[in-house]
Amino acid sequence: MFDYMTLRLIWWAILGVLLVGFAILDGFDIGVAMLHPFVARNDTQRRVTLNTIGPVWEGNQVWFILGGGAVFAAWPPLYAVSFSGFYLAMLLVLIGLILRPVAITFRDKRPESGWRETWDWLFFVSGFVPALIFGVAFGNLLQGVPFHFDQALRATYEGGLLGLLNPFALLCGLVSVAMLTMQGAAWLSVKSEGEVSVRARRSGALAALLLVLLISAAGLWTMLGVEGFRIDGVIEHAGPSNPLAKSVTREAGAWLDNYRAYPWMIAAPALAYTGALVAALAFAFSAGRIAFLASSLSVSGVATMAGFSMFPFLLPSSTHPSQSLTVWDASSSKATLSLMLIAVIVFLPIVLAYTSWVYYVLRGAVSEAAIRRGDDYYY
């Protein structure tokens, strides 16, 4: 159907689509969790925020599972190194994601305000921790991760959790927190009414402007203070997967190479900035739907910008740069990629159609009046 090189590119693009889908859809769930204690000041308002995501958060979280499954099937060495090396970080993310339904469910088990407030703050933690860790992970990818292979391609990870929490990675973590806060605020501006919506718009405008500043700071740091990775010589794009068969050098500014070679990639950072600024204006003028669309485009731009900057690298090695994992030397076989692509072509449109139908059926805002009337809501 396709040659090996094209299949590798297609699966790199599919992985990007899945990550962007997760960032947009589960991103607003995470953002709502972070905003929950601040935009909702009483129990009724907090039930409003919970019910804005109640019918959809489980489906949105599936995009994260799809991303992990795509990595496992299409890029086995990437899965092995990242999920073992980032084990504690992944565990924190999973605890946060598990804490979300626990907090939502248990807050309603007892009527005492102290009990519910405790679970409300744990709900906040369930959003803040994954948002921060996701950004920290991308920050470490840009700097390189300490791992290497032996001659039998057995991977050894040489880092630890505390090593991941370096200043640049934490800055990238703040980019992620601001981005997903903006996305959550955009969702609340569409799906809520009254005081909750007003506070969400204020928070969203602030988060959008903060995102612009943080992206600028991270971009400047990447250009001047982060040594990027560059493949030396010729690499066989359709050759067998062997991360030991190449030469890689590190140099400040190397992550900008793709933008010089392919100027059209500038569309990604342009989308990130333009989307955030348009979202800020839309929040100011109470245009919730425009804010959500612009915010989603900004999220897409930020995620795509990281992928464009690193291409063809998937997981650079800071200790053994020549053993970094790339699109060309870390994939499954041609037969595996071809078979899985057929499954994607068949089932992904079904998933997208069903998701679109669910959002259409569940359209409309959640109001405090409806909560007080006891309408049939989830929480």
Side-chain angles (χ1 to χ4, degrees):
M1 183 165 52
F2 295 103
D3 60 44
Y4 201 8
M5 182 187 76
T6 304
L7 283 169
R8 284 167 161 166
L9 285 173
I10 289 173
W11 273 99
W12 174 76
I14 289 174
L15 179 60
V17 168
L18 294 175
L19 293 178
V20 169
F22 171 72
I24 291 175
L25 296 177
D26 204 50
F28 69 69
D29 297 328
I30 292 172
V32 168
M34 289 190 286
L35 289 168
H36 178 69
F38 307 105
V39 301
R41 303 291 175 80
N42 57 51
D43 188 67
T44 301
Q45 292 177 356
R46 290 184 176 179
R47 287 186 63 199
V48 167
T49 64
L50 293 175
N51 280 286
T52 61
I53 66 170
V56 296
W57 70 263
E58 290 178 286
N60 293 340
Q61 201 162 282
V62 169
W63 288 87
F64 182 61
I65 300 171
L66 290 175
V71 171
F72 173 77
W75 316 99
L78 173 62
Y79 182 91
V81 176
S82 60
F83 277 70
S84 58
F86 292 167
Y87 184 81
L88 291 177
M90 291 287 186
L91 182 61
L92 288 175
V93 169
L94 290 177
I95 290 174
L97 295 178
I98 292 170
L99 189 59
R100 179 198 299 168
V102 174
I104 292 174
T105 300
F106 273 77
R107 80 174 299 277
D108 196 40
K109 297 300 182 183
R110 296 175 60 178
E112 292 88 350
S113 60
W115 170 270
R116 293 190 170 186
E117 187 171 352
T118 298
W119 288 109
D120 286 333
W121 281 105
L122 288 174
F123 184 51
F124 163 81
V125 171
S126 77
F128 179 78
V129 170
L132 182 68
I133 296 299
F134 285 137
V136 166
F138 272 99
N140 280 280
L141 289 181
L142 290 168
Q143 297 176 102
V145 179
F147 73 92
H148 69 274
F149 295 97
D150 62 18
Q151 291 303 311
L153 292 181
R154 290 174 297 194
T156 299
Y157 180 78
E158 302 170 359
L161 179 61
L162 294 180
L164 299 177
L165 303 177
N166 55 77
F168 177 76
L170 289 172
L171 174 60
C172 293
L174 292 178
V175 170
S176 177
V177 169
M179 178 182 74
L180 298 183
T181 299
M182 173 187 69
Q183 185 73 351
W187 179 253
L188 285 174
S189 70
V190 174
K191 293 292 291 183
S192 65
E193 298 177 349
E195 294 180 3
V196 172
S197 182
V198 170
R199 296 190 192 108
R201 290 195 296 271
R202 292 172 182 168
S203 301
L206 179 61
L209 296 176
L210 186 60
L211 176 62
V212 170
L213 295 176
L214 290 171
I215 292 175
S216 301
L220 187 62
W221 195 333
T222 301
M223 286 189 292
L224 303 178
V226 175
E227 289 187 337
F229 292 70
R230 180 183 295 131
I231 296 177
D232 289 334
V234 178
I235 187 170
E236 180 55 55
H237 296 164
S241 291
N242 180 7
L244 305 183
K246 64 180 179 300
S247 176
V248 175
T249 58
R250 301 189 64 181
E251 182 181 334
W255 286 141
L256 300 179
D257 287 353
N258 285 335
Y259 296 102
R260 300 186 188 101
Y262 310 103
W264 60 266
M265 288 187 176
I266 298 293
L271 195 62
Y273 277 103
T274 304
L277 292 173
V278 171
L281 288 173
F283 283 127
F285 288 97
S286 302
R289 295 183 183 276
I290 295 176
F292 184 72
L293 175 60
S295 176
S296 298
L297 291 175
S298 180
V299 170
S300 302
V302 172
T304 306
M305 181 167 53
F308 283 172
S309 297
M310 291 180 58
F311 182 83
F313 290 92
L314 298 171
L315 188 66
S317 171
S318 58
T319 54
H320 296 72
S322 62
Q323 298 185 16
S324 300
L325 299 178
T326 73
V327 170
W328 313 122
D329 60 21
S331 73
S332 295
S333 67
K334 179 181 178 182
T336 301
L337 297 182
S338 299
L339 182 62
M340 292 192 303
L341 182 59
I342 294 173
V344 169
I345 292 173
V346 172
F347 290 106
L348 186 58
I350 297 174
V351 172
L352 293 174
Y354 176 75
T355 301
S356 301
W357 177 77
V358 168
Y359 279 93
Y360 175 77
V361 170
L362 298 172
R363 66 192 184 278
V366 180
S367 67
E368 292 183 50
I371 294 291
R372 294 193 190 98
R373 284 196 308 267
D375 289 355
D376 188 17
Y377 282 108
Y378 281 70
Y379 310 109

